[in-house]
Amino acid sequence: MKQAAIYIRVSTDAQREEGYSIDAQKEMLQAHCVSKGIKDYSFYIDGGFTGSNIERPEMQRLIADVKQDRISHVIVYKLDRLSRSQKDTLYLIEDVFNPHGVDFISMNESMDTSTPLGRLMLGILSAFAQLERENIRERTRMGMKERVKSGKWMGGGRIPFGYDYDKKNGKLIPNKDAERVRKIYDLYLQGYSTAKIAQMVGLKYDKLAYQILTRKSNAGYINYNDEEYLGEHEPIISLETYERTMQYMKERYIKRVSESNYLFTGLLYCGKCGAKMRYQKWSKNTCKIICYSQDKAKTHLIKDPNCNNSKLWANDLEDVVLKNLFEYAFKHSNIETENISNMSLLDILHEQYNNTAQKLKRLYSLYSDNDDDVLLESINDIKKEMRNIQTQIEIETEKSQNQLNLKNVKKTLSSLSEAWEYMSPKEKKVVANGCINKITLTDASIHVDYRFDIVK
């Protein structure tokens, strides 16, 4: 036996609005069922869920019951209670309800999809619901930007370590962990690594120490959509300390890269679990390559604690990869790159763009004097043409750059094996990183993935 389904959704904000509470919707929808002679019905109630998607517990239960042919009608108080997304609304009606003979009734809009007029009304009203949702999102985004510009925190769940969030005033307030944040900066500037700092101050991962160090919110600033604003909250550290830390971090990175003799650091990956691999000292003058899943010191890099990939001698690995690299270089150094210049074409495209822009200015001038729909249509056509020209300019510019890069690569590869022994360790690493994307090790098997493929 089929029965009607009364669906009720209440978002967090809507619970405060008169007429949208769960009890209010239940009362009105029950009265509607009585007026229509519908006696057998069940409630499906999602409390505190957004209408921007259909990933709601009771909505999913309703869909499942519809697909099992248990439902005759779906009844809601208002269309946006079902969904605020036009795509989701049409999906539910066209792909879930209609194929199973389920009629959809929206009490507020007097809609019944069993009639042609009801189906027409559905398309119109769902479009308006989608528009309202997009308007709400845009207003929220604009409001958030103004909020941040005034110095207040964005709110929400991502509160920086060392702060609490005061909802009443919209500000961050330093908490008991603020002293640990200061300690992290002090230790880093003393030369300690983030891994050591994490152990010393009781953090779970060294990555957390790094994240804390790089947050400018600790110095009183707020970053929103890649823009920076001075916050009203009390800084934990001074701006000078933050900037000194960032400079020191940059210097330490450059030093670490330049001083390391490990040729393929950062390029090694485990073929069994997908984790990164690293060099590990094995004796005074030797190293092995091991998977980070087998290294318990950095638990956040573990992909599979049971990974049994073999440990390979670093010298053996480097010999094999370098031989492969030299063969690759020799093979491709003889391939002629196309001697095609896109500059003349780019010049033509830039000239077309400038001429079209001038034409657009004239049309705007005419439109300001005469509000003519034909002129407006011409303006839109010109703007579309300018977008197409700009796209062609970007494509041709990229082609020119790729051609130049390819010539430079060919020049490097042509003498790589002869020049290798005269290169410094740093130069070798630069070349290796420039040519190789990743090296995958699966026991004794080594696969080299290059950053480019000269053969087209």
Side-chain angles (χ1 to χ4, degrees), residues 205 212 224:
Y205 307 123
I212 291 169
Y224 179 71

Side-chain angles (χ1 to χ4, degrees), residues 34 45 75 101 119 129 175 196 229 252 272 327 342 351 364 376 385 401 415 445 450:
V34 170
I45 302 173
I75 308 169
R119 286 191 289 273
N175 60 25
K196 185 64 176 176
Y229 305 92
R252 285 175 67 167
K272 289 195 173 181
E327 289 175 352
N342 292 313
E351 185 177 355
Y364 271 128
L376 183 60
E385 182 181 349
Q401 188 58 52
S415 58
S445 173
Y450 290 97

Side-chain angles (χ1 to χ4, degrees), residues 176-239:
K176 59 183 177 61
D177 288 317
E179 190 55 41
R180 275 209 287 175
V181 172
R182 295 188 191 96
K183 188 70 174 174
I184 289 169
Y185 282 93
D186 289 341
L187 291 170
Y188 189 79
L189 290 172
Q190 290 175 36
Y192 289 96
S193 68
T194 53
K196 185 64 176 176
I197 292 171
Q199 293 177 0
M200 295 170 73
V201 301
L203 297 178
K204 194 170 182 181
Y205 307 123
D206 61 316
K207 187 177 181 180
L208 297 180
Y210 174 81
Q211 290 173 345
I212 291 169
L213 287 168
T214 55
R215 285 177 186 152
K216 203 169 183 178
S217 54
N218 294 324
Y221 287 80
I222 300 173
N223 187 283
Y224 179 71
N225 279 352
D226 296 325
E227 293 188 36
E228 198 174 89
Y229 305 92
L230 183 62
E232 290 184 347
H233 61 280
E234 178 187 341
I236 295 176
I237 60 166
S238 67
L239 179 60

Side-chain angles (χ1 to χ4, degrees), residues 55-68:
E55 298 304 318
R56 307 167 228 148
E58 287 294 273
M59 173 57 73
Q60 292 301 312
R61 184 168 74 89
L62 172 60
I63 292 173
D65 286 348
V66 167
K67 291 181 177 180
Q68 292 177 20

Side-chain angles (χ1 to χ4, degrees), residues 325-337 405-420 423 431 435 452 454:
L325 176 60
F326 294 153
E327 289 175 352
Y328 182 86
F330 177 78
K331 176 182 177 183
H332 295 305
S333 63
N334 296 320
I335 295 176
E336 292 298 328
T337 57
N405 291 341
L406 201 56
K407 290 179 180 179
N408 291 334
V409 167
K410 178 179 177 290
K411 184 178 178 181
T412 300
L413 293 179
S414 64
S415 58
L416 182 60
S417 60
E418 292 82 1
W420 187 262
M423 291 182 183
V431 171
C435 294
F452 46 81
I454 295 179

